[in-house]
């Protein structure tokens, strides 16, 4: 071979090397483009899973904004639900079943039944909603009334009106507070007291001790409001205190003090729902009461409301002055003694000369005689028919 032939062959090798480098560069760019497109597809909002995640965040922000103001608000839940696609588990999508022997099949059925039983137990232990505050978490083995009180405290902590009252007052921010207030307390103190009592007591303990705990919870929450009025740090604090006590009195009565057949189940202790919850509430306009801060479906009111009322609006429960006298199961029942037959018309809360709390009932005789007044024990002994539930936390 001549020198020129060697040079020509080297040039061909160089051209092949350049073609391979160009091909590798093109493949690298193609792979990078594919990777970039794959990343874009992962962040694509049209993907149902991504859309569900973003909409879930948007729904959470919407819910937080919903409770931000102490004034009455109206909102539509239909738009929120429409934006969030529902997630359904397809139980028909199963793998092909293979034949197994009877022993394995019986063991599977037994395991399935035990799992279903454990699930049912777990569901009964759910009480209300959860918050980020550890001091008022639920105590699953605590008595029912104490668990309900903890659910009330958790709901208060979740409301914006309770922000100044969750933790003890800082004396550096409010000098002179502990000199002016005789009994300082906070929601933190009340929640800790309830958790300690719930861990110490159980459902089989004496009812009077449990009632004393419930009574102390009501007393302490009301003291928080009194302290804020005695040592007012501003107009906003007073407004927050008044709103919080309205929420508390409604929840405390509905969830704890009301007769057992009128109290919601533990799993339904959720103040984000309407007072008289119905599945149609999720797609309807909800109106807030200016008296108790409760939520009401406008279309399910009697009569229904087609538009938002101007000014303050009070729910039927606040207008009728809902109290024990309107829910006592003794009201309307017939009583019978050897000397009188009549009907229980009403009751009122009184204190005796010794300071003990009691109830007095107005009895209307059937022969249109003068109205008589009986105490609680006399009414319970004279009820005709099924006996009534004893009153707790009087």
């Amino acid at each position: 071979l001549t020198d020129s032939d060697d040079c020509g062959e080297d040039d061909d090798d160089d051209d092949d090397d350049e073609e391979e480098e160009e091909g590798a560069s093109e493949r690298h760019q193609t792979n990078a483009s594919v990777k970039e497109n794959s990343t874009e597809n992962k962040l694509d909002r049209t993907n149902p899973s991504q859309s569900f995640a973003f909409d879930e965040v948007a729904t959470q922000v919407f819910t937080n904004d919903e409770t931000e103001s102490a004034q009455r608000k109206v909102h539509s839940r239909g738009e929120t639900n429409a934006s969030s696609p529902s997630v359904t588990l397809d139980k028909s999508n199963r793998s092909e079943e293979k034949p197994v022997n009877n022993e394995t099949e019986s063991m599977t059925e037994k395991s399935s039944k035990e799992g279903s039983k454990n699930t049912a137990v777990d569901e009964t232990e759910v009480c209300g909603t959860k918050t980020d505050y550890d001091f008022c978490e639920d105590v699953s083995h605590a008595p029912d009334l104490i668990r309900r009180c903890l659910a009330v405290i958790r709901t208060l902590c979740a409301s914006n009106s309770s922000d100044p009252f969750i933790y003890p007052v800082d004396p550096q921010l409010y000098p002179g507070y502990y000199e002016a207030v005789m009994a300082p307390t906070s929601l933190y103190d009340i929640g800790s007291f309830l958790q300690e009592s719930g861990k110490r007591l159980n459902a089989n303990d004496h009812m009077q001790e449990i009632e004393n705990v419930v009574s102390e919870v009501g007393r302490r929450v009301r003291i928080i409001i009194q302290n804020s009025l005695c040592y007012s740090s501003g107009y906003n604090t007073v407004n927050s205190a008044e709103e919080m006590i309205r929420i508390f009195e409604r929840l405390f009565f509905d969830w704890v003090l009301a007769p057992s057949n009128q109290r919601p189940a533990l799993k339904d202790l959720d103040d984000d729902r309407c007072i008289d919850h119905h599945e149609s509430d999720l797609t309807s306009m909800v109106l807030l009461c200016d008296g108790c801060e409760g939520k009401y479906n406008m279309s399910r009111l009697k009569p229904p409301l087609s538009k938002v009322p101007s000014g303050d609006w009070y729910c039927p429960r606040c207008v009728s002055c809902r109290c024990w006298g309107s829910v006592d199961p003794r009201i309307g029942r017939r009583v019978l003694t050897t000397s009188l037959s009549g009907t229980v018309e009403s009751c009122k809360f009184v204190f005796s000369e010794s300071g003990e709390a009691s109830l007095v009932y107005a009895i209307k005789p059937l022969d249109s005689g003068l109205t008589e007044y009986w105490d609680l024990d006399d009414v319970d002994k004279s009820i005709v028919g099924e006996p009534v539930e004893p009153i707790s936390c009087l």
Side-chain angles (χ1 to χ4, degrees):
L1 298 175
T2 60
D3 292 339
S4 59
D5 293 334
D6 292 336
C7 293
E9 186 176 356
D10 291 341
D11 291 339
D12 294 335
D13 293 337
D14 292 341
D15 292 338
D16 294 338
D17 294 338
E18 289 178 0
E19 289 178 0
E20 291 179 1
E21 290 178 1
E22 290 177 358
S25 177
E26 290 178 358
R27 289 193 299 271
H28 178 72
Q29 292 178 359
T30 303
N31 293 335
S33 176
V34 171
K35 184 176 181 181
E36 182 178 359
N37 292 335
S38 176
T39 304
E40 291 178 355
N41 290 334
K42 291 181 180 180
L43 298 179
D44 187 3
R45 290 276 319 261
T46 61
N47 189 336
S49 59
Q50 281 290 333
S51 177
F52 178 78
F54 282 108
D55 291 336
E56 185 177 5
V57 175
T59 303
Q60 183 178 0
V61 173
F62 179 85
T63 306
N64 292 337
D65 292 339
E66 174 189 354
T67 57
E68 192 174 71
S69 174
Q71 302 175 354
R72 187 188 75 249
K73 297 174 288 297
V74 179
H75 62 278
S76 173
R77 299 185 182 181
E79 297 178 0
T80 305
N81 292 333
S83 62
S84 301
S86 60
V87 179
T88 305
L89 297 179
D90 186 5
K91 296 183 179 180
S92 62
N93 185 14
R94 299 177 180 177
S95 58
E96 182 179 358
E97 296 181 358
K98 297 182 179 180
V100 295
N101 56 38
N102 295 334
E103 182 179 358
T104 305
E105 183 176 359
S106 61
M107 293 177 60
T108 304
E109 291 178 357
K110 182 178 179 181
S111 176
S112 176
K113 292 180 180 179
E114 291 179 353
S116 301
K117 183 177 180 181
N118 294 334
T119 303
V121 172
D122 293 338
E123 289 179 354
T124 58
E125 293 180 351
V126 175
C127 179
T129 57
K130 295 183 179 181
T131 63
D132 297 331
Y133 301 100
D134 297 336
F135 60 82
C136 55
E137 285 185 351
D138 182 37
V139 181
S140 59
H141 65 273
D144 179 81
L145 291 179
I146 293 181
R147 297 183 68 187
R148 291 175 177 275
C149 288
L150 281 169
V152 172
I153 300 302
R154 287 197 299 273
T155 304
L156 290 181
C157 291
S159 65
N160 293 333
S161 60
S162 66
D163 287 345
F165 316 110
I166 294 180
Y167 295 104
V169 174
D170 188 351
Q172 296 182 352
L173 298 178
Y174 302 99
Y177 176 83
Y178 290 97
E179 288 77 10
V181 173
M182 298 294 295
T185 187
S186 64
L187 295 178
Y188 172 84
D189 299 324
I190 300 173
S192 302
F193 165 72
L194 275 173
Q195 281 195 334
E196 179 184 353
S197 302
K199 296 175 182 178
R200 176 173 53 88
L201 302 174
N202 56 64
N204 297 325
D205 287 325
H206 195 273
M207 189 62 187
Q208 185 59 49
E209 190 172 2
I210 299 174
E211 292 180 5
N212 292 338
V213 173
V214 175
S215 176
E216 184 67 13
V217 170
R219 189 182 70 87
R220 290 192 183 188
V221 174
R222 291 163 184 144
I223 285 179
I224 293 178
I225 309 305
Q226 295 175 6
N227 291 343
S228 66
L229 298 178
C230 293
Y231 185 92
S232 176
S233 59
Y235 180 76
N236 293 333
T237 303
V238 174
N239 281 348
S240 297
E242 292 177 348
E243 180 180 345
M244 190 182 80
I245 194 61
R246 291 197 299 268
I247 298 175
F248 169 76
E249 295 295 353
R250 172 174 56 83
L251 298 179
F252 195 53
F253 185 81
D254 290 351
W255 294 3
V256 182
L257 302 180
S260 60
N261 62 343
Q262 299 186 33
R263 294 195 297 254
L266 292 177
K267 62 183 180 61
D268 295 330
L269 301 181
D270 185 1
D271 198 39
D272 289 335
R273 305 167 68 176
C274 289
I275 299 298
D276 185 15
H277 180 67
H278 189 268
E279 58 183 7
S280 63
D281 300 338
L282 300 176
T283 57
S284 303
M285 300 293 289
V286 175
L287 190 63
L288 263 64
C289 174
D290 288 297
C292 65
E293 304 296 329
K295 298 178 178 64
Y296 289 86
N297 185 341
M298 293 177 57
S299 62
R300 298 183 64 239
L301 291 171
K302 297 180 181 180
L305 294 178
S306 57
K307 62 179 180 180
V308 180
S310 59
D312 294 340
W313 178 80
Y314 297 95
C315 68
R317 290 156 48 110
C318 290
V319 173
S320 62
C321 299
R322 175 180 166 86
C323 61
W324 180 259
S326 59
V327 299
D328 194 323
R330 295 159 184 81
I331 305 299
R333 293 291 298 272
R334 185 185 174 191
V335 292
L336 179 64
T337 64
T338 56
S339 59
L340 183 143
S341 176
T343 305
V344 181
E345 282 193 331
S346 61
C347 71
K348 61 180 179 179
F349 189 80
V350 297
F351 282 97
S352 63
E353 294 181 356
S354 60
E356 295 181 356
S358 181
L359 289 171
V360 173
Y361 291 85
I363 309 299
K364 181 67 174 177
L366 296 181
D367 57 2
S368 300
L370 297 177
T371 300
E372 296 187 9
Y373 294 92
W374 295 5
D375 62 19
L376 177 61
D377 292 336
D378 292 338
V379 172
D380 286 346
K381 293 177 183 178
S382 307
I383 288 286
V384 177
E386 291 290 335
V388 294
E389 175 188 5
I391 297 179
S392 61
C393 308
L394 183 59

